[in-house]
Amino acid sequence: MPVKIPFPLTLDYVRSAPTSALFASLQSWVKVSDPTCLLHPHGFAVVLLRSGFEDWRLHWWPKGPRTLTGMPGMIHTHDKIIESRILTGQIENVLYDVSAVPTGGQSVYEVAYAGNKYIRNTANVLQKTAERVQASASNIQTLKAGDCYRIENHVYHEAIVPDDAVTATIVCMHSPSPGPIKVIGLDGYPEHLEFQRIERRAAEYMGFV
């Protein structure tokens, strides 16, 4: 029988609770509940805590080099509002102003899922569009353990995470908005990419066993 998350998964609670207590509770839950995680294309693990109107997730970047899959296009959007709190480590969250250009610039891919994205055999699909854009950083936030940050839907951003230490965040994704998820791509990649996320035991990936 699944082990219940040992604290309320509400934005009010997660924003205000002591960071060390949240982090310790989630580590203990992972050890006892032994959930799986999926490896995100940007090199971190996603542990699903709860899905529904709000998706609650634990994100875990391991210490050391991270493996990217699909295409290493790090600037992207979400179709939901993202609310995160850093539990340990550090993130540089970069927001971008993005404008269309007639020539030059970078390509834009749209993201789709052939089913439930939290299931390992679901295809992740990147499809190149005719759009070319120029991206320039408009805001840079350097965030540490205890800090909260929010990303509005369909805003281009990039998370830069140092690889000299573990970084973990608890994330709530909510309030979906119509429109495709987008990734600013790199030239030289196929127009259509399709891959599946690797599934691992979360406790093993996090070094608890």
Side-chain angles (χ1 to χ4, degrees), residues 23 37-47 58-68 88-91 160-169 200-208:
F23 191 37
C37 63
L38 291 179
L39 303 190
H40 190 279
H42 290 173
F44 61 91
V46 176
V47 182
L58 171 64
H59 291 181
W60 185 282
W61 287 260
K63 181 179 179 180
R66 287 128 192 187
T67 301
L68 306 183
T88 190
Q90 178 177 303
I91 288 178
I160 300 172
V161 183
D163 63 5
D164 59 353
V166 167
T167 291
T169 63
R200 296 275 299 275
R201 284 182 63 204
E204 179 184 344
Y205 185 80
M206 296 173 184
F208 297 158

Side-chain angles (χ1 to χ4, degrees), residues 9-11 14-15 49-50 53-59 80-85 149-151 169-175:
L9 284 175
T10 66
L11 285 170
V14 167
R15 287 172 180 148
L49 306 177
R50 189 180 76 198
F53 177 72
E54 296 176 336
D55 285 353
W56 282 90
R57 305 165 18 160
L58 171 64
H59 291 181
K80 296 181 179 179
I81 293 173
I82 309 299
E83 312 249 18
S84 296
R85 188 171 187 196
Y149 66 102
R150 173 182 169 115
I151 304 165
T169 63
I170 183 169
V171 179
C172 178
M173 306 175 72
H174 63 89
S175 305

Side-chain angles (χ1 to χ4, degrees), residues 110-124:
E110 292 185 354
V111 180
Y113 302 98
N116 185 339
K117 67 180 178 181
Y118 295 116
I119 297 175
R120 67 176 179 182
N121 60 358
T122 296
N124 292 224

Side-chain angles (χ1 to χ4, degrees), residues 41-197:
H42 290 173
F44 61 91
V46 176
V47 182
L48 183 63
L49 306 177
R50 189 180 76 198
S51 62
F53 177 72
E54 296 176 336
D55 285 353
W56 282 90
R57 305 165 18 160
L58 171 64
H59 291 181
W60 185 282
W61 287 260
K63 181 179 179 180
R66 287 128 192 187
T67 301
L68 306 183
T69 55
M71 177 180 59
M74 306 302 286
I75 303 173
H76 62 284
T77 68
H78 299 274
D79 62 355
K80 296 181 179 179
I81 293 173
I82 309 299
E83 312 249 18
S84 296
R85 188 171 187 196
I86 300 178
L87 302 173
T88 190
Q90 178 177 303
I91 288 178
E92 189 172 79
N93 183 49
V94 185
L95 304 181
Y96 288 87
D97 287 330
V98 173
S99 55
V101 292
T103 58
Q106 294 171 271
S107 57
V108 174
Y109 284 74
E110 292 185 354
V111 180
Y113 302 98
N116 185 339
K117 67 180 178 181
Y118 295 116
I119 297 175
R120 67 176 179 182
N121 60 358
T122 296
N124 292 224
V125 180
L126 298 177
Q127 183 63 52
K128 190 175 183 179
T129 70
E131 190 177 6
R132 305 285 298 185
V133 298
Q134 187 71 46
S136 59
S138 60
N139 183 274
I140 300 174
Q141 301 169 286
T142 300
L143 303 149
K144 61 185 186 307
D147 290 340
C148 299
Y149 66 102
R150 173 182 169 115
I151 304 165
E152 300 296 330
N153 22 29
H154 303 298
V155 170
Y156 282 94
H157 88 111
E158 175 183 17
I160 300 172
V161 183
D163 63 5
D164 59 353
V166 167
T167 291
T169 63
I170 183 169
V171 179
C172 178
M173 306 175 72
H174 63 89
S175 305
S177 175
I181 300 167
K182 295 184 178 183
V183 174
I184 296 183
L186 304 176
D187 289 332
Y189 280 80
E191 293 192 358
H192 181 91
L193 292 97
E194 191 168 316
F195 60 92
Q196 296 175 348
R197 300 189 183 192

